[in-house]
């Protein structure tokens, strides 16, 4: 088995260590530029891959078949090359994110959730939150993409400049890389804006906890970080 992690910047990754302890196969970090990804997925020497920032949607579009949850989230984080050479894509992040929410100890059903980030992690968070009964709004740093995963499933979309319209959010999920190592002193939003806040989830696992989660704890708001999702 030739396995590994596909991403753009991977120096922070703990995946090789984890796989060396849990598996009996080679596990390599594959740092690729955007213009290298398609050729690597189609012709590279690999049997199974994990996929991370910023290629979860790119990989999704290159899969020959997909799991149901991958179709719902619009991205993949796990790839398998089948015997016939075709690529199967799955999203195991969804299970991990649900577990993260459970560890946060915050009821989700009926809550207003604000997801920060419209990338792969954001798509996964939206799908899981909706499955658990939350009303979801996504905030992105850019204008709405044409292939936005929420266009047909009731998820609202806005940009960070309109954040004041969503100060009644009860759950905040950081699905951006803001606050990730090495820029550990950053946080994506000021939590003092949200007077009804009941819980915070951050998909970042390094550092643990992030500055956002420390800010939540200082306000007495429960939260959980990306280590549970990992």
């Amino acid at each position: 088995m030739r396995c590994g992690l596909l991403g753009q910047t991977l120096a922070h990754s703990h995946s090789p260590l984890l796989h060396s302890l849990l598996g009996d196969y080679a596990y390599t970090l594959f740092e690729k530029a955007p213009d290298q990804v398609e050729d690597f997925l189609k012709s590279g020497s690999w049997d199974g891959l994990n996929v991370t920032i910023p290629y979860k949607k790119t990989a999704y579009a290159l899969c020959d078949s997909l799991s149901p949850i991958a179709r719902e989230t619009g991205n993949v984080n796990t790839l398998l090359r089948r015997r016939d050479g075709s690529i199967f894509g799955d999203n195991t992040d969804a299970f991990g994110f649900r577990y993260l929410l459970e560890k946060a100890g915050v009821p989700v059903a009926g809550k207003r959730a604000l997801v920060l980030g419209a990338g792969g992690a954001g798509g996964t968070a939206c799908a899981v939150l909706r499955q658990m009964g939350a009303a979801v709004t996504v905030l992105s740093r850019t204008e709405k993409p044409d292939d936005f995963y929420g266009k047909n499933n009731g998820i609202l979309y806005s940009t960070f400049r309109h954040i004041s319209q969503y100060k009644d959010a009860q759950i905040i999920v950081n699905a951006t890389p803001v606050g990730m190592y090495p820029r550990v002193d950053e946080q994506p939003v000021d939590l003092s804006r949200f007077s009804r806040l009941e819980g915070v989830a951050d998909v970042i696992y390094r550092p643990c906890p992030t500055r956002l989660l420390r800010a939540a704890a200082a306000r007495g708001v429960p939260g959980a970080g990306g280590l549970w999702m990992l």
Side-chain angles (χ1 to χ4, degrees):
M1 287 282 288
R2 301 165 299 175
C3 299
L5 176 64
L6 171 64
Q8 189 168 31
T9 305
L10 301 177
H12 67 285
S13 176
H14 296 314
S15 292
L17 173 60
L18 293 173
H19 284 266
S20 72
L21 296 172
L22 300 174
D24 59 356
Y25 43 81
Y27 194 92
T28 305
L29 296 179
F30 296 108
E31 284 193 350
K32 301 294 179 183
D35 61 356
Q36 298 176 310
V37 172
E38 182 173 359
D39 181 65
F40 172 73
L41 288 180
K42 291 183 176 180
S43 306
S45 298
W46 62 272
D47 300 302
L49 290 174
N50 296 126
V51 185
T52 190
I53 297 171
Y55 299 136
K56 293 182 180 182
K57 288 187 177 183
T58 302
Y60 173 91
L62 294 170
C63 288
D64 299 294
S65 57
L66 297 159
S67 69
I69 188 62
R71 290 187 183 279
E72 184 173 353
T73 60
N75 67 89
V76 296
N77 76 315
T78 305
L79 302 177
L80 173 68
R81 175 171 280 151
R82 289 177 162 156
R83 292 183 182 274
D84 64 1
S86 64
I87 300 174
F88 171 75
D90 196 6
N91 185 322
T92 62
D93 278 339
F95 171 83
F97 183 69
R98 182 182 287 265
Y99 188 65
L100 184 160
L101 291 176
E102 291 170 353
K103 284 297 179 180
V106 179
V108 173
K111 305 297 184 180
R112 295 178 62 86
L114 192 60
V115 175
L116 311 178
T124 298
C126 286
V128 173
L129 287 164
R130 290 192 71 250
Q131 288 175 354
M132 298 175 72
V136 183
T137 299
V138 177
L139 292 187
S140 174
R141 289 169 288 185
T142 59
E143 295 299 328
K144 182 174 179 179
D146 292 337
D147 61 347
F148 177 59
Y149 48 80
K151 59 185 177 183
N152 294 317
N153 62 11
I155 296 173
L156 299 178
Y157 183 97
S158 189
T159 56
F160 272 86
R161 67 175 179 270
H162 298 130
I163 194 170
S164 62
Q165 299 178 18
Y166 306 102
K167 59 185 179 182
D168 60 343
Q170 296 161 288
I171 297 171
I172 290 179
V173 176
N174 179 35
T176 77
V178 178
M180 182 188 295
Y181 178 86
R183 301 171 70 173
V184 298
D185 292 327
E186 298 180 354
Q187 69 181 66
V189 292
D190 178 1
L191 296 184
S192 66
R193 296 173 176 234
F194 306 96
S195 60
R196 299 181 60 191
L197 193 60
E198 298 178 20
V200 175
D202 196 332
V203 303
I204 294 172
Y205 67 82
R206 187 181 183 191
C208 182
T210 59
R211 182 174 178 178
L212 181 68
L213 289 175
R214 295 199 305 271
R219 299 177 65 82
V221 176
L227 192 58
W228 296 111
M229 183 172 171
L230 176 66

